[in-house]
């Protein structure tokens, strides 16, 4: 079966503090990387799908991103389907 | 000062097991998402830079990705500069 891939980005919402990103920004600054004003950290997923159509892949990835990969209170997601 | 942004992806190397990704694949399968054959999970960073040239941004991001964001034994990175 021809495989499709999906990429999913899950990021803290703009309105939510990102303590991990802040910690990294501070670490970078203390290590001499002074030109990094802000860091935000998210998750990135690469999914291999056993599906043949882009429409089926979009339906599946939209659902699993919303229901499993993302905490909707503090995170948001976007995805792309790669043939 | 005009700001530049960078996106950095840090992923487990192809040759390295990704237990987080495997756990998510199993969770998805047990939740009924049966068409996801493999999941790999990495990190995604958005950096705001106080720099004015693309060349300076590339130098900085290459260095901090290699020296701070990535564990070179088990991870690899790529990045893009966004004006």
């Amino acid at each position: 079966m021809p495989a499709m891939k999906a990429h999913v980005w899950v990021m803290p919402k703009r309105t939510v503090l990102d303590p991990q990103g802040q910690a990294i920004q501070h670490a970078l600054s203390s290590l001499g990387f002074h030109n990094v004003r802000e860091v935000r950290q998210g998750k990135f997923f690469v999914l291999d799908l056993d599906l043949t159509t882009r429409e089926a892949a979009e339906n599946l990835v939209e659902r699993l991103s919303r229901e499993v990969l993302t905490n909707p209170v503090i995170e948001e997601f976007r995805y792309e389907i790669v043939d």
Side-chain angles (χ1 to χ4, degrees), chain A:
Chain A
M1 191 187 286
M4 306 189 91
K5 275 185 187 286
H7 295 159
V8 182
W9 291 260
V10 176
M11 298 298 294
K13 284 183 179 173
R14 263 280 142 203
T15 50
V16 169
L17 279 178
D18 174 10
Q20 262 185 311
Q22 288 178 348
I24 291 166
Q25 193 274 329
H26 290 141
L28 288 171
S29 183
S30 73
L31 290 166
F33 297 100
H34 297 300
N35 292 313
V36 183
R37 190 195 305 157
E38 193 190 345
V39 178
R40 293 186 77 79
Q41 179 175 351
K43 288 173 277 188
F44 180 67
F45 301 91
V46 180
L47 310 176
D48 284 355
L49 307 175
D50 278 329
L51 291 169
T52 51
T53 72
R54 173 171 285 267
E55 193 186 357
E58 284 180 354
N59 282 339
L60 179 71
V61 174
E62 171 89 30
R63 268 205 325 127
L64 69 83
S65 296
R66 185 180 308 285
E67 296 175 16
V68 184
L69 301 182
T70 306
N71 176 347
V73 179
I74 58 170
E75 294 173 326
E76 60 194 6
F77 69 90
R78 66 189 170 85
Y79 65 87
E80 66 180 13
I81 307 297
V82 191
D83 293 298

